[in-house]
Amino acid sequence: MSAALSTRPAPWAFAAPWGARGFVTDLDGTGPEGTGQDGPVHWIEFEPDADPAPRAGPAGTPVVFVHGLGGSHLNWCLIGPQLAAGRRAVALDLHGFGLTPGTRAGSTVEGNARLLDRFVREVIGTPVILAGNSMGGLISLLQASAAPETVQGLVLVDPALPPPRLPDRQVGNQFLLFALPGLGEYYVRAVQSRRPPQLAVQHIIDLCFADPSRADPAMMTASIALAAERQSRGPSSHAFLAASRSLMRVVGLRRRYWEMAASVRVPVLLISGDADRLVPVAAIHQAAVRNPGWETVILPGVGHTPQLEVPGKVIGMVRDWLGRHFTPAGGLGGTGYAAALRA
């Protein structure tokens, strides 16, 4: 981590049940065109699950988790501790989501790609493995393509992809509403932002899970508490709409998207649920065909967020992939910021 950065413990502990500690780092700067879009970013660092017989050896490549549209650092808590053995494992909140504030300009895909680049360079300080879900998968791909020296591997979990066909009708209608000037603002302000926290979280689960009964009760409790915290801060429709509209623009540039994906030269693990309503499995098949060097796993009966719906399966796949491509997990030795604070 850069010595010039100001990092302090976060005042929130939504991820504490999973052994994660929160921090706020001030990425000071004015941003493009003086927007001031940098500034405080909230992130968490996972403590590894207890290992009765830890293996000796060097620490592995750090993992940085990147959530999707409407998500947060909590999206990774069911797999983060298990993947933190022998390597740093951190999850950040993108501009306008979770506990990181965001402006309209800073909350776009492009703005959050700039945030991720600064976070990797200045907070982590070494090349990383990026694990991204949905919009976070797209942002991770952008980073690997634009700054290959910062990325050693990619885990893409149902990443946002150019759709080969029309999406699910409900999903398509929702994004059409978001795209319409005025109407999108009215819908998010009058409907989406006024849902009670419990209903807001349940709505996301119903949309993203193939089987909502798989939702982890502790994760539900933490997500509702985080949603209540966000609501207490006032409307955030400008950030959400900026992100969703820019997401549609980027995936709509099909040729540019596939050229960007083809430029990635690091190991890639592509994981998808075949019951994903937001990223059709046909889009995953298309990505696999266009990028035959990627390792692709499609999970039957799973939705848009496998790391939350079937975390055990995702942990097993990622561990196997890490073991075949990267330094084996080793001693922890205080390599992370949380460990440094304890020293």
Side-chain angles (χ1 to χ4, degrees), residues 134 138 141 158-167 247-261 278-288 290-291 294:
S134 193
L138 167 58
L141 266 175
D158 290 88
L161 294 168
R165 58 175 175 79
L166 292 176
L247 176 63
M248 287 184 278
R249 287 196 301 271
V250 174
V251 299
L253 299 172
R254 301 174 65 88
R255 176 179 294 183
R256 184 178 299 178
Y257 187 106
W258 293 124
E259 289 175 350
M260 177 264 297
L278 288 92
V279 179
V281 70
I284 300 296
H285 286 301
Q286 178 177 249
R290 286 179 171 270
N291 301 278
W294 295 7

Side-chain angles (χ1 to χ4, degrees), residues 15-205:
W18 297 276
R21 298 184 65 181
F23 303 95
V24 176
T25 296
D26 294 319
L27 294 178
D28 296 322
T30 59
E33 301 177 351
T35 61
Q37 70 176 43
D38 294 321
V41 56
H42 174 262
W43 55 283
I44 62 172
E45 182 161 357
F46 292 104
E47 296 285 352
D49 268 3
D51 185 349
R55 290 173 289 177
T61 307
V63 176
V64 175
F65 297 106
V66 190
H67 65 77
L69 183 69
S72 76
H73 62 281
L74 288 179
N75 290 175
W76 303 103
C77 285
L78 299 185
I79 70 170
Q82 293 82 357
L83 298 177
R87 65 182 75 246
R88 292 190 74 184
V90 306
L92 78 158
D93 284 335
L94 297 172
H95 281 309
F97 299 97
L99 298 165
T100 297
T103 64
R104 187 185 303 273
S107 301
T108 63
V109 166
E110 297 84 356
N112 273 313
R114 289 188 288 269
L115 170 63
L116 178 60
D117 182 69
R118 288 202 65 185
F119 184 83
V120 169
R121 294 178 187 275
E122 300 182 37
V123 176
I124 307 302
T126 62
V128 301
I129 298 162
L130 293 176
N133 174 228
S134 193
M135 180 181 74
L138 167 58
I139 292 171
S140 298
L141 266 175
L142 288 169
Q143 180 68 16
S145 175
E149 73 280 5
T150 67
V151 181
Q152 292 192 358
L154 287 174
V155 178
L156 305 177
V157 184
D158 290 88
L161 294 168
R165 58 175 175 79
L166 292 176
D168 174 274
R169 178 174 294 181
Q170 180 183 349
V171 172
N173 290 341
Q174 190 97 77
F175 275 90
L176 179 60
L177 272 176
F178 295 156
L180 295 174
L183 190 57
E185 281 77 4
Y186 172 79
Y187 175 80
V188 173
R189 184 175 60 252
V191 178
Q192 188 164 295
S193 64
R194 292 188 178 181
R195 288 191 182 112
Q198 187 164 357
L199 291 182
V201 171
Q202 189 62 54
H203 174 77
I204 293 172
I205 289 172

Side-chain angles (χ1 to χ4, degrees), residues 3 24 69 74 102 131 151 166 205 211 218 221 229 237 241 277 297 301 328 334:
V24 176
L69 183 69
L74 288 179
V151 181
L166 292 176
I205 289 172
D211 181 358
T221 299
E229 169 67 23
S237 58
L241 287 172
R277 297 170 60 190
V297 180

